[in-house]
Short mmCIF file of all heavy atoms in Angstrom, two decimals:
data_model
loop_
_atom_site.label_atom_id
_atom_site.label_comp_id
_atom_site.label_asym_id
_atom_site.label_seq_id
_atom_site.Cartn_x
_atom_site.Cartn_y
_atom_site.Cartn_z
N MET A 1 198.95 -123.17 -23.90
CA MET A 1 199.71 -124.03 -24.79
C MET A 1 199.16 -125.44 -24.74
O MET A 1 198.89 -125.98 -23.69
CB MET A 1 201.18 -124.03 -24.35
CG MET A 1 202.02 -125.06 -25.10
SD MET A 1 203.69 -125.05 -24.50
CE MET A 1 204.22 -126.64 -25.15
N THR A 2 199.00 -126.01 -25.91
CA THR A 2 198.54 -127.38 -26.00
C THR A 2 199.72 -128.30 -26.28
O THR A 2 200.39 -128.17 -27.29
CB THR A 2 197.50 -127.55 -27.11
OG1 THR A 2 196.42 -126.66 -26.85
CG2 THR A 2 196.99 -128.97 -27.15
N THR A 3 199.97 -129.19 -25.36
CA THR A 3 201.07 -130.12 -25.55
C THR A 3 200.54 -131.41 -26.16
O THR A 3 199.69 -132.07 -25.57
CB THR A 3 201.75 -130.44 -24.22
OG1 THR A 3 202.25 -129.23 -23.68
CG2 THR A 3 202.91 -131.40 -24.43
N VAL A 4 201.02 -131.73 -27.30
CA VAL A 4 200.62 -132.97 -27.97
C VAL A 4 201.73 -133.99 -27.77
O VAL A 4 202.86 -133.78 -28.17
CB VAL A 4 200.39 -132.75 -29.47
CG1 VAL A 4 199.99 -134.06 -30.13
CG2 VAL A 4 199.34 -131.68 -29.69
N LEU A 5 201.38 -135.05 -27.10
CA LEU A 5 202.38 -136.08 -26.86
C LEU A 5 202.51 -136.97 -28.10
O LEU A 5 201.60 -137.71 -28.44
CB LEU A 5 201.99 -136.92 -25.65
CG LEU A 5 202.03 -136.16 -24.32
CD1 LEU A 5 201.56 -137.06 -23.19
CD2 LEU A 5 203.43 -135.65 -24.04
N THR A 6 203.62 -136.84 -28.72
CA THR A 6 203.88 -137.66 -29.90
C THR A 6 205.01 -138.61 -29.59
O THR A 6 205.91 -138.28 -28.82
CB THR A 6 204.26 -136.79 -31.10
OG1 THR A 6 205.34 -135.94 -30.72
CG2 THR A 6 203.10 -135.94 -31.55
N PRO A 7 204.97 -139.79 -30.17
CA PRO A 7 206.05 -140.75 -29.94
C PRO A 7 207.35 -140.23 -30.52
O PRO A 7 207.56 -140.32 -31.72
CB PRO A 7 205.59 -142.02 -30.65
CG PRO A 7 204.20 -141.75 -31.13
CD PRO A 7 203.98 -140.29 -31.11
N ALA A 8 208.15 -139.67 -29.70
CA ALA A 8 209.42 -139.15 -30.17
C ALA A 8 210.54 -140.05 -29.68
O ALA A 8 210.45 -140.65 -28.61
CB ALA A 8 209.64 -137.74 -29.68
N SER A 9 211.58 -140.12 -30.44
CA SER A 9 212.70 -140.93 -30.01
C SER A 9 213.37 -140.27 -28.81
O SER A 9 213.47 -139.06 -28.75
CB SER A 9 213.69 -141.08 -31.15
OG SER A 9 214.09 -139.82 -31.62
N PRO A 10 213.79 -141.07 -27.87
CA PRO A 10 214.44 -140.51 -26.68
C PRO A 10 215.72 -139.80 -27.05
O PRO A 10 216.39 -140.16 -28.01
CB PRO A 10 214.74 -141.73 -25.81
CG PRO A 10 214.13 -142.90 -26.47
CD PRO A 10 213.72 -142.52 -27.85
N LEU A 11 216.03 -138.82 -26.25
CA LEU A 11 217.30 -138.12 -26.46
C LEU A 11 218.45 -139.03 -26.02
O LEU A 11 218.33 -139.78 -25.06
CB LEU A 11 217.31 -136.83 -25.65
CG LEU A 11 216.27 -135.80 -26.12
CD1 LEU A 11 216.11 -134.71 -25.08
CD2 LEU A 11 216.67 -135.20 -27.44
N THR A 12 219.53 -138.92 -26.72
CA THR A 12 220.69 -139.74 -26.40
C THR A 12 221.89 -138.86 -26.13
O THR A 12 221.84 -137.64 -26.27
CB THR A 12 221.03 -140.68 -27.56
OG1 THR A 12 221.56 -139.91 -28.65
CG2 THR A 12 219.79 -141.41 -28.05
N ALA A 13 222.97 -139.51 -25.77
CA ALA A 13 224.20 -138.77 -25.49
C ALA A 13 224.74 -138.09 -26.74
O ALA A 13 225.58 -137.21 -26.67
CB ALA A 13 225.25 -139.72 -24.92
N ALA A 14 224.24 -138.54 -27.89
CA ALA A 14 224.69 -137.93 -29.14
C ALA A 14 223.96 -136.63 -29.43
O ALA A 14 224.37 -135.87 -30.31
CB ALA A 14 224.48 -138.90 -30.30
N ASP A 15 222.86 -136.38 -28.70
CA ASP A 15 222.13 -135.13 -28.88
C ASP A 15 222.75 -134.05 -28.02
O ASP A 15 222.91 -134.23 -26.81
CB ASP A 15 220.66 -135.33 -28.49
CG ASP A 15 219.94 -136.26 -29.46
OD1 ASP A 15 220.06 -136.02 -30.68
OD2 ASP A 15 219.30 -137.21 -29.01
N ARG A 16 223.08 -132.95 -28.66
CA ARG A 16 223.84 -131.90 -27.98
C ARG A 16 223.08 -130.59 -27.95
O ARG A 16 222.39 -130.23 -28.90
CB ARG A 16 225.18 -131.70 -28.69
CG ARG A 16 226.10 -132.91 -28.60
CD ARG A 16 226.62 -133.09 -27.18
NE ARG A 16 227.05 -134.45 -26.94
CZ ARG A 16 227.62 -134.83 -25.78
NH1 ARG A 16 227.79 -133.97 -24.81
NH2 ARG A 16 227.99 -136.07 -25.61
N CYS A 17 223.27 -129.87 -26.87
CA CYS A 17 222.68 -128.55 -26.71
C CYS A 17 223.14 -127.62 -27.83
O CYS A 17 224.33 -127.56 -28.15
CB CYS A 17 223.08 -127.97 -25.35
SG CYS A 17 222.54 -126.28 -25.09
N ASP A 18 222.18 -126.92 -28.44
CA ASP A 18 222.51 -126.00 -29.52
C ASP A 18 223.33 -124.81 -29.02
O ASP A 18 223.94 -124.10 -29.81
CB ASP A 18 221.22 -125.48 -30.17
CG ASP A 18 220.53 -126.57 -30.99
OD1 ASP A 18 221.22 -127.51 -31.42
OD2 ASP A 18 219.32 -126.47 -31.18
N ARG A 19 223.30 -124.58 -27.74
CA ARG A 19 223.96 -123.39 -27.20
C ARG A 19 225.36 -123.68 -26.69
O ARG A 19 226.27 -122.88 -26.86
CB ARG A 19 223.11 -122.81 -26.05
CG ARG A 19 221.82 -122.21 -26.51
CD ARG A 19 222.05 -120.90 -27.21
NE ARG A 19 220.84 -120.44 -27.89
CZ ARG A 19 220.68 -119.19 -28.32
NH1 ARG A 19 221.62 -118.30 -28.13
NH2 ARG A 19 219.59 -118.85 -28.94
N CYS A 20 225.53 -124.78 -26.00
CA CYS A 20 226.82 -124.99 -25.33
C CYS A 20 227.45 -126.34 -25.66
O CYS A 20 228.59 -126.58 -25.29
CB CYS A 20 226.66 -124.83 -23.81
SG CYS A 20 225.70 -126.15 -23.05
N GLY A 21 226.72 -127.20 -26.35
CA GLY A 21 227.31 -128.48 -26.74
C GLY A 21 227.25 -129.54 -25.67
O GLY A 21 227.74 -130.65 -25.87
N ALA A 22 226.66 -129.24 -24.54
CA ALA A 22 226.48 -130.26 -23.50
C ALA A 22 225.40 -131.24 -23.94
O ALA A 22 224.68 -131.00 -24.90
CB ALA A 22 226.09 -129.60 -22.18
N GLN A 23 225.31 -132.35 -23.23
CA GLN A 23 224.28 -133.33 -23.59
C GLN A 23 222.90 -132.71 -23.48
O GLN A 23 222.57 -132.05 -22.49
CB GLN A 23 224.39 -134.56 -22.70
CG GLN A 23 223.40 -135.65 -23.12
CD GLN A 23 223.61 -136.94 -22.35
OE1 GLN A 23 224.61 -137.12 -21.68
NE2 GLN A 23 222.66 -137.83 -22.43
N ALA A 24 222.08 -132.96 -24.49
CA ALA A 24 220.75 -132.35 -24.53
C ALA A 24 219.75 -133.17 -23.75
O ALA A 24 219.76 -134.40 -23.81
CB ALA A 24 220.30 -132.20 -25.98
N TYR A 25 218.89 -132.48 -23.01
CA TYR A 25 217.82 -133.14 -22.27
C TYR A 25 216.45 -132.59 -22.64
O TYR A 25 215.44 -133.08 -22.16
CB TYR A 25 218.04 -133.00 -20.76
CG TYR A 25 219.11 -133.93 -20.26
CD1 TYR A 25 220.43 -133.51 -20.15
CD2 TYR A 25 218.81 -135.25 -19.93
CE1 TYR A 25 221.42 -134.37 -19.71
CE2 TYR A 25 219.79 -136.11 -19.49
CZ TYR A 25 221.09 -135.67 -19.39
OH TYR A 25 222.07 -136.52 -18.95
N LEU A 26 216.44 -131.56 -23.49
CA LEU A 26 215.17 -131.03 -23.95
C LEU A 26 215.16 -130.95 -25.47
O LEU A 26 216.10 -130.45 -26.07
CB LEU A 26 214.91 -129.63 -23.39
CG LEU A 26 214.37 -129.56 -21.97
CD1 LEU A 26 215.50 -129.55 -20.97
CD2 LEU A 26 213.50 -128.35 -21.79
N ARG A 27 214.10 -131.47 -26.06
CA ARG A 27 213.90 -131.30 -27.50
C ARG A 27 212.70 -130.41 -27.69
O ARG A 27 211.61 -130.71 -27.21
CB ARG A 27 213.67 -132.65 -28.18
CG ARG A 27 213.27 -132.50 -29.65
CD ARG A 27 212.95 -133.83 -30.28
NE ARG A 27 214.15 -134.59 -30.59
CZ ARG A 27 214.32 -135.88 -30.30
NH1 ARG A 27 213.40 -136.54 -29.66
NH2 ARG A 27 215.42 -136.50 -30.62
N VAL A 28 212.90 -129.31 -28.37
CA VAL A 28 211.84 -128.35 -28.61
C VAL A 28 211.42 -128.43 -30.07
O VAL A 28 212.23 -128.19 -30.96
CB VAL A 28 212.31 -126.92 -28.27
CG1 VAL A 28 211.18 -125.92 -28.52
CG2 VAL A 28 212.78 -126.86 -26.82
N VAL A 29 210.17 -128.78 -30.27
CA VAL A 29 209.65 -128.87 -31.63
C VAL A 29 208.94 -127.57 -31.95
O VAL A 29 208.02 -127.15 -31.25
CB VAL A 29 208.68 -130.05 -31.78
CG1 VAL A 29 208.17 -130.15 -33.22
CG2 VAL A 29 209.36 -131.35 -31.37
N LEU A 30 209.38 -126.94 -33.02
CA LEU A 30 208.84 -125.64 -33.40
C LEU A 30 207.68 -125.79 -34.36
O LEU A 30 207.55 -126.80 -35.05
CB LEU A 30 209.94 -124.80 -34.06
CG LEU A 30 211.20 -124.61 -33.23
CD1 LEU A 30 212.24 -123.86 -34.04
CD2 LEU A 30 210.89 -123.88 -31.95
N ALA A 31 206.84 -124.77 -34.39
CA ALA A 31 205.69 -124.78 -35.30
C ALA A 31 206.15 -124.88 -36.74
O ALA A 31 205.43 -125.40 -37.60
CB ALA A 31 204.87 -123.51 -35.09
N SER A 32 207.33 -124.40 -37.01
CA SER A 32 207.87 -124.45 -38.37
C SER A 32 208.30 -125.85 -38.76
O SER A 32 208.62 -126.10 -39.92
CB SER A 32 209.07 -123.51 -38.47
OG SER A 32 210.10 -123.93 -37.61
N GLY A 33 208.34 -126.74 -37.79
CA GLY A 33 208.77 -128.10 -38.06
C GLY A 33 210.20 -128.36 -37.65
O GLY A 33 210.65 -129.50 -37.66
N GLY A 34 210.90 -127.31 -37.31
CA GLY A 34 212.28 -127.48 -36.88
C GLY A 34 212.37 -127.96 -35.45
O GLY A 34 211.36 -128.02 -34.73
N GLU A 35 213.55 -128.31 -35.05
CA GLU A 35 213.78 -128.78 -33.69
C GLU A 35 214.97 -128.04 -33.09
O GLU A 35 215.93 -127.73 -33.79
CB GLU A 35 214.08 -130.28 -33.66
CG GLU A 35 212.87 -131.16 -33.86
CD GLU A 35 213.23 -132.62 -33.69
OE1 GLU A 35 214.44 -132.94 -33.55
OE2 GLU A 35 212.33 -133.45 -33.69
N LEU A 36 214.88 -127.81 -31.80
CA LEU A 36 216.01 -127.26 -31.06
C LEU A 36 216.32 -128.21 -29.93
O LEU A 36 215.43 -128.79 -29.32
CB LEU A 36 215.67 -125.87 -30.51
CG LEU A 36 215.40 -124.77 -31.54
CD1 LEU A 36 214.95 -123.50 -30.81
CD2 LEU A 36 216.63 -124.48 -32.36
N LEU A 37 217.60 -128.35 -29.62
CA LEU A 37 218.01 -129.19 -28.51
C LEU A 37 218.71 -128.33 -27.47
O LEU A 37 219.51 -127.46 -27.80
CB LEU A 37 218.98 -130.28 -29.00
CG LEU A 37 218.40 -131.26 -30.03
CD1 LEU A 37 219.49 -132.19 -30.52
CD2 LEU A 37 217.27 -132.06 -29.42
N PHE A 38 218.37 -128.58 -26.22
CA PHE A 38 218.99 -127.82 -25.15
C PHE A 38 219.38 -128.75 -24.00
O PHE A 38 218.71 -129.74 -23.72
CB PHE A 38 218.03 -126.75 -24.61
CG PHE A 38 217.75 -125.64 -25.58
CD1 PHE A 38 216.57 -125.61 -26.29
CD2 PHE A 38 218.69 -124.65 -25.80
CE1 PHE A 38 216.31 -124.60 -27.20
CE2 PHE A 38 218.45 -123.63 -26.70
CZ PHE A 38 217.26 -123.60 -27.40
N CYS A 39 220.45 -128.39 -23.33
CA CYS A 39 220.79 -129.06 -22.09
C CYS A 39 219.80 -128.60 -21.02
O CYS A 39 219.01 -127.68 -21.24
CB CYS A 39 222.22 -128.72 -21.68
SG CYS A 39 222.47 -126.98 -21.28
N ALA A 40 219.85 -129.22 -19.86
CA ALA A 40 218.91 -128.86 -18.81
C ALA A 40 219.07 -127.39 -18.41
O ALA A 40 218.10 -126.68 -18.18
CB ALA A 40 219.12 -129.75 -17.59
N HIS A 41 220.32 -126.95 -18.35
CA HIS A 41 220.59 -125.57 -17.96
C HIS A 41 219.95 -124.58 -18.93
O HIS A 41 219.21 -123.67 -18.52
CB HIS A 41 222.11 -125.34 -17.90
CG HIS A 41 222.49 -123.92 -17.71
ND1 HIS A 41 222.42 -123.28 -16.49
CD2 HIS A 41 222.94 -123.00 -18.59
CE1 HIS A 41 222.81 -122.02 -16.64
NE2 HIS A 41 223.14 -121.82 -17.90
N HIS A 42 220.22 -124.74 -20.21
CA HIS A 42 219.68 -123.80 -21.18
C HIS A 42 218.19 -124.03 -21.41
O HIS A 42 217.47 -123.10 -21.77
CB HIS A 42 220.47 -123.90 -22.49
CG HIS A 42 221.82 -123.23 -22.41
ND1 HIS A 42 223.01 -123.92 -22.46
CD2 HIS A 42 222.13 -121.93 -22.23
CE1 HIS A 42 224.01 -123.06 -22.33
NE2 HIS A 42 223.51 -121.85 -22.19
N GLY A 43 217.74 -125.25 -21.23
CA GLY A 43 216.31 -125.50 -21.32
C GLY A 43 215.55 -124.68 -20.30
O GLY A 43 214.52 -124.07 -20.61
N ARG A 44 216.07 -124.65 -19.09
CA ARG A 44 215.44 -123.84 -18.04
C ARG A 44 215.55 -122.36 -18.37
O ARG A 44 214.61 -121.60 -18.21
CB ARG A 44 216.12 -124.10 -16.70
CG ARG A 44 215.89 -125.49 -16.18
CD ARG A 44 214.83 -125.52 -15.10
NE ARG A 44 214.65 -126.89 -14.61
CZ ARG A 44 213.65 -127.65 -15.01
NH1 ARG A 44 212.76 -127.21 -15.85
NH2 ARG A 44 213.55 -128.86 -14.54
N LYS A 45 216.72 -121.98 -18.85
CA LYS A 45 216.97 -120.56 -19.10
C LYS A 45 216.03 -120.01 -20.16
O LYS A 45 215.53 -118.90 -20.05
CB LYS A 45 218.43 -120.39 -19.53
CG LYS A 45 218.83 -118.94 -19.77
CD LYS A 45 220.31 -118.83 -20.12
CE LYS A 45 220.70 -117.39 -20.35
NZ LYS A 45 222.14 -117.25 -20.69
N PHE A 46 215.80 -120.80 -21.21
CA PHE A 46 215.02 -120.31 -22.34
C PHE A 46 213.58 -120.78 -22.30
O PHE A 46 212.81 -120.49 -23.21
CB PHE A 46 215.67 -120.75 -23.65
CG PHE A 46 217.02 -120.14 -23.88
CD1 PHE A 46 218.15 -120.92 -23.95
CD2 PHE A 46 217.16 -118.77 -24.02
CE1 PHE A 46 219.40 -120.36 -24.15
CE2 PHE A 46 218.39 -118.19 -24.23
CZ PHE A 46 219.52 -118.98 -24.29
N GLU A 47 213.22 -121.52 -21.27
CA GLU A 47 211.88 -122.10 -21.22
C GLU A 47 210.76 -121.10 -21.48
O GLU A 47 209.85 -121.38 -22.26
CB GLU A 47 211.67 -122.82 -19.89
CG GLU A 47 210.39 -123.62 -19.86
CD GLU A 47 210.30 -124.45 -18.57
OE1 GLU A 47 210.78 -123.99 -17.53
OE2 GLU A 47 209.76 -125.55 -18.64
N PRO A 48 210.79 -119.93 -20.85
CA PRO A 48 209.68 -118.99 -21.09
C PRO A 48 209.56 -118.59 -22.55
O PRO A 48 208.45 -118.45 -23.07
CB PRO A 48 210.06 -117.78 -20.22
CG PRO A 48 210.96 -118.34 -19.17
CD PRO A 48 211.72 -119.44 -19.85
N GLU A 49 210.70 -118.42 -23.21
CA GLU A 49 210.67 -118.06 -24.63
C GLU A 49 210.26 -119.25 -25.49
O GLU A 49 209.51 -119.11 -26.45
CB GLU A 49 212.06 -117.57 -25.06
CG GLU A 49 212.48 -116.27 -24.40
CD GLU A 49 211.51 -115.14 -24.73
OE1 GLU A 49 211.13 -115.02 -25.91
OE2 GLU A 49 211.12 -114.41 -23.81
N LEU A 50 210.77 -120.40 -25.12
CA LEU A 50 210.49 -121.59 -25.91
C LEU A 50 209.00 -121.92 -25.90
O LEU A 50 208.44 -122.35 -26.91
CB LEU A 50 211.29 -122.78 -25.38
CG LEU A 50 212.80 -122.64 -25.52
CD1 LEU A 50 213.50 -123.81 -24.84
CD2 LEU A 50 213.21 -122.55 -26.97
N LYS A 51 208.37 -121.69 -24.76
CA LYS A 51 206.95 -122.02 -24.66
C LYS A 51 206.10 -121.16 -25.58
O LYS A 51 204.98 -121.52 -25.92
CB LYS A 51 206.48 -121.87 -23.21
CG LYS A 51 206.91 -123.05 -22.35
CD LYS A 51 206.33 -122.96 -20.95
CE LYS A 51 206.61 -124.25 -20.18
NZ LYS A 51 206.10 -124.20 -18.80
N LYS A 52 206.65 -120.03 -26.00
CA LYS A 52 205.90 -119.15 -26.91
C LYS A 52 205.95 -119.66 -28.34
O LYS A 52 205.07 -119.36 -29.13
CB LYS A 52 206.49 -117.74 -26.86
CG LYS A 52 206.36 -117.05 -25.52
CD LYS A 52 207.04 -115.69 -25.58
CE LYS A 52 207.10 -115.04 -24.21
NZ LYS A 52 207.92 -113.80 -24.24
N ILE A 53 207.01 -120.37 -28.67
CA ILE A 53 207.22 -120.73 -30.07
C ILE A 53 207.14 -122.23 -30.31
O ILE A 53 207.08 -122.66 -31.46
CB ILE A 53 208.59 -120.22 -30.57
CG1 ILE A 53 209.72 -120.83 -29.75
CG2 ILE A 53 208.64 -118.69 -30.52
CD1 ILE A 53 211.10 -120.48 -30.27
N ALA A 54 207.14 -123.01 -29.24
CA ALA A 54 207.18 -124.46 -29.41
C ALA A 54 205.78 -125.04 -29.53
O ALA A 54 204.84 -124.55 -28.91
CB ALA A 54 207.90 -125.11 -28.24
N VAL A 55 205.66 -126.07 -30.33
CA VAL A 55 204.42 -126.84 -30.36
C VAL A 55 204.53 -128.05 -29.45
O VAL A 55 203.54 -128.63 -29.05
CB VAL A 55 204.06 -127.28 -31.79
CG1 VAL A 55 203.75 -126.06 -32.65
CG2 VAL A 55 205.17 -128.11 -32.41
N ASP A 56 205.75 -128.42 -29.13
CA ASP A 56 205.97 -129.54 -28.21
C ASP A 56 207.34 -129.41 -27.58
O ASP A 56 208.30 -129.01 -28.24
CB ASP A 56 205.87 -130.87 -28.96
CG ASP A 56 205.91 -132.06 -28.01
OD1 ASP A 56 205.48 -131.90 -26.84
OD2 ASP A 56 206.36 -133.14 -28.42
N ILE A 57 207.40 -129.70 -26.30
CA ILE A 57 208.68 -129.70 -25.62
C ILE A 57 208.87 -131.06 -24.95
O ILE A 57 208.09 -131.43 -24.07
CB ILE A 57 208.78 -128.58 -24.57
CG1 ILE A 57 208.66 -127.22 -25.24
CG2 ILE A 57 210.10 -128.68 -23.79
CD1 ILE A 57 208.70 -126.05 -24.27
N GLN A 58 209.86 -131.76 -25.39
CA GLN A 58 210.18 -133.07 -24.80
C GLN A 58 211.23 -132.84 -23.74
O GLN A 58 212.38 -132.52 -24.03
CB GLN A 58 210.69 -134.00 -25.90
CG GLN A 58 211.04 -135.39 -25.41
CD GLN A 58 211.60 -136.25 -26.54
OE1 GLN A 58 211.65 -135.82 -27.69
NE2 GLN A 58 212.05 -137.44 -26.23
N ASP A 59 210.81 -132.97 -22.50
CA ASP A 59 211.70 -132.64 -21.39
C ASP A 59 212.14 -133.92 -20.69
O ASP A 59 211.36 -134.58 -20.04
CB ASP A 59 210.95 -131.74 -20.41
CG ASP A 59 211.86 -131.28 -19.27
OD1 ASP A 59 212.97 -131.82 -19.11
OD2 ASP A 59 211.44 -130.40 -18.52
N GLU A 60 213.40 -134.24 -20.85
CA GLU A 60 213.94 -135.43 -20.21
C GLU A 60 214.93 -135.05 -19.11
O GLU A 60 215.73 -135.87 -18.66
CB GLU A 60 214.62 -136.33 -21.24
CG GLU A 60 213.65 -136.83 -22.30
CD GLU A 60 214.27 -137.93 -23.16
OE1 GLU A 60 215.42 -138.31 -22.92
OE2 GLU A 60 213.57 -138.41 -24.06
N SER A 61 214.87 -133.80 -18.69
CA SER A 61 215.81 -133.35 -17.67
C SER A 61 215.57 -134.06 -16.35
O SER A 61 216.44 -134.06 -15.48
CB SER A 61 215.69 -131.83 -17.49
OG SER A 61 214.39 -131.49 -17.07
N GLY A 62 214.39 -134.68 -16.20
CA GLY A 62 214.12 -135.43 -14.99
C GLY A 62 215.09 -136.58 -14.78
O GLY A 62 215.33 -137.00 -13.65
N ARG A 63 215.62 -137.04 -15.90
CA ARG A 63 216.58 -138.14 -15.80
C ARG A 63 217.84 -137.72 -15.07
O ARG A 63 218.56 -138.55 -14.53
CB ARG A 63 216.93 -138.64 -17.20
CG ARG A 63 215.78 -139.36 -17.88
CD ARG A 63 216.26 -140.07 -19.13
NE ARG A 63 216.81 -139.13 -20.12
CZ ARG A 63 217.74 -139.45 -21.01
NH1 ARG A 63 218.23 -140.65 -21.04
NH2 ARG A 63 218.17 -138.56 -21.88
N LEU A 64 218.11 -136.43 -15.09
CA LEU A 64 219.30 -135.93 -14.43
C LEU A 64 219.24 -136.17 -12.93
O LEU A 64 220.25 -136.36 -12.28
CB LEU A 64 219.46 -134.43 -14.68
CG LEU A 64 220.03 -134.03 -16.03
CD1 LEU A 64 219.92 -132.52 -16.18
CD2 LEU A 64 221.47 -134.45 -16.16
N ALA A 65 218.04 -136.14 -12.39
CA ALA A 65 217.88 -136.20 -10.95
C ALA A 65 218.43 -137.50 -10.37
O ALA A 65 218.84 -137.54 -9.22
CB ALA A 65 216.40 -136.05 -10.59
N THR A 66 218.41 -138.55 -11.17
CA THR A 66 218.84 -139.83 -10.65
C THR A 66 220.30 -140.12 -10.96
O THR A 66 220.88 -141.02 -10.40
CB THR A 66 217.99 -140.97 -11.26
OG1 THR A 66 218.08 -140.91 -12.68
CG2 THR A 66 216.55 -140.85 -10.83
N THR A 67 220.88 -139.31 -11.84
CA THR A 67 222.25 -139.60 -12.25
C THR A 67 223.23 -138.49 -11.91
O THR A 67 224.42 -138.69 -11.92
CB THR A 67 222.31 -139.85 -13.77
OG1 THR A 67 221.79 -138.70 -14.44
CG2 THR A 67 221.49 -141.06 -14.15
N ALA A 68 222.72 -137.32 -11.60
CA ALA A 68 223.61 -136.19 -11.36
C ALA A 68 223.02 -135.31 -10.26
O ALA A 68 222.18 -135.75 -9.49
CB ALA A 68 223.81 -135.39 -12.64
N ALA A 69 223.47 -134.09 -10.23
CA ALA A 69 223.00 -133.16 -9.20
C ALA A 69 221.49 -132.98 -9.33
O ALA A 69 220.95 -133.02 -10.41
CB ALA A 69 223.69 -131.82 -9.37
N PRO A 70 220.83 -132.78 -8.20
CA PRO A 70 219.38 -132.61 -8.23
C PRO A 70 218.97 -131.42 -9.07
O PRO A 70 219.58 -130.36 -9.01
CB PRO A 70 219.02 -132.38 -6.76
CG PRO A 70 220.19 -132.90 -6.00
CD PRO A 70 221.38 -132.73 -6.89
N ALA A 71 217.93 -131.61 -9.87
CA ALA A 71 217.42 -130.51 -10.68
C ALA A 71 216.37 -129.76 -9.88
O ALA A 71 215.79 -130.29 -8.94
CB ALA A 71 216.80 -131.05 -11.96
N ASN A 72 216.16 -128.52 -10.25
CA ASN A 72 215.10 -127.76 -9.61
C ASN A 72 213.75 -128.35 -9.94
O ASN A 72 213.46 -128.67 -11.08
CB ASN A 72 215.14 -126.31 -10.09
CG ASN A 72 216.36 -125.59 -9.57
OD1 ASN A 72 216.90 -125.95 -8.53
ND2 ASN A 72 216.79 -124.58 -10.30
N THR A 73 212.93 -128.52 -8.95
CA THR A 73 211.61 -129.07 -9.17
C THR A 73 210.59 -127.96 -9.01
O THR A 73 209.85 -127.90 -8.04
CB THR A 73 211.31 -130.20 -8.17
OG1 THR A 73 211.53 -129.70 -6.85
CG2 THR A 73 212.20 -131.39 -8.39
N ASP A 74 210.61 -127.05 -9.99
CA ASP A 74 209.72 -125.89 -9.88
C ASP A 74 208.33 -126.18 -10.39
O ASP A 74 207.39 -125.53 -10.01
CB ASP A 74 210.31 -124.69 -10.61
CG ASP A 74 210.76 -125.07 -12.02
OD1 ASP A 74 210.55 -126.22 -12.40
OD2 ASP A 74 211.30 -124.20 -12.71
N GLU A 75 208.23 -127.19 -11.26
CA GLU A 75 206.90 -127.59 -11.70
C GLU A 75 206.89 -129.05 -12.09
O GLU A 75 207.87 -129.56 -12.57
CB GLU A 75 206.41 -126.71 -12.84
CG GLU A 75 207.24 -126.82 -14.10
CD GLU A 75 206.66 -125.97 -15.22
OE1 GLU A 75 206.13 -124.91 -14.92
OE2 GLU A 75 206.73 -126.38 -16.37
N ARG A 76 205.76 -129.65 -11.95
CA ARG A 76 205.62 -131.08 -12.20
C ARG A 76 206.55 -131.85 -11.28
O ARG A 76 207.59 -132.29 -11.65
CB ARG A 76 205.83 -131.44 -13.65
CG ARG A 76 204.56 -131.17 -14.44
CD ARG A 76 204.68 -131.76 -15.83
NE ARG A 76 205.66 -131.01 -16.59
CZ ARG A 76 206.22 -131.42 -17.74
NH1 ARG A 76 205.93 -132.56 -18.20
NH2 ARG A 76 207.08 -130.69 -18.39
ZN1 LIG B 1 223.42 -125.72 -22.94
#
């Protein structure tokens, strides 16, 4: 997978997980041009699938580590 870093607007508290409505920490940009938003929990859950269809994944779940419970540091 080729990750292209594009200047994307940061996720805010107004961005909500498409699955559960919690605050979103991942923005998944699809090849079709669409976007999906996920909370850290669902971002992790769907990550393997998302990596197959996403052209870019903006992962801001790292911000959780300083403000809430520690996130799993399985990569990076
Ligand atoms: Zn969620």
Side-chain angles (χ1 to χ4, degrees):
M1 172 182 163
T2 303
T3 300
V4 180
L5 293 177
T6 53
S9 55
L11 294 166
T12 71
D15 292 311
R16 294 290 158 176
C17 174
D18 289 336
R19 291 287 169 165
C20 69
Q23 184 173 347
Y25 284 94
L26 279 88
R27 172 184 283 133
V28 180
V29 181
L30 304 176
S32 63
E35 284 185 353
L36 296 175
L37 298 175
F38 291 103
C39 65
H41 171 77
H42 284 113
R44 293 259 180 260
K45 182 177 181 180
F46 295 116
E47 189 173 34
E49 294 299 316
L50 295 175
K51 283 185 172 178
K52 296 177 188 173
I53 60 174
V55 295
D56 188 29
I57 298 178
Q58 181 182 356
D59 184 349
E60 298 191 1
S61 61
R63 290 191 299 152
L64 281 172
T66 56
T67 57
N72 291 333
T73 54
D74 49 3
E75 64 177 35
R76 279 190 291 165

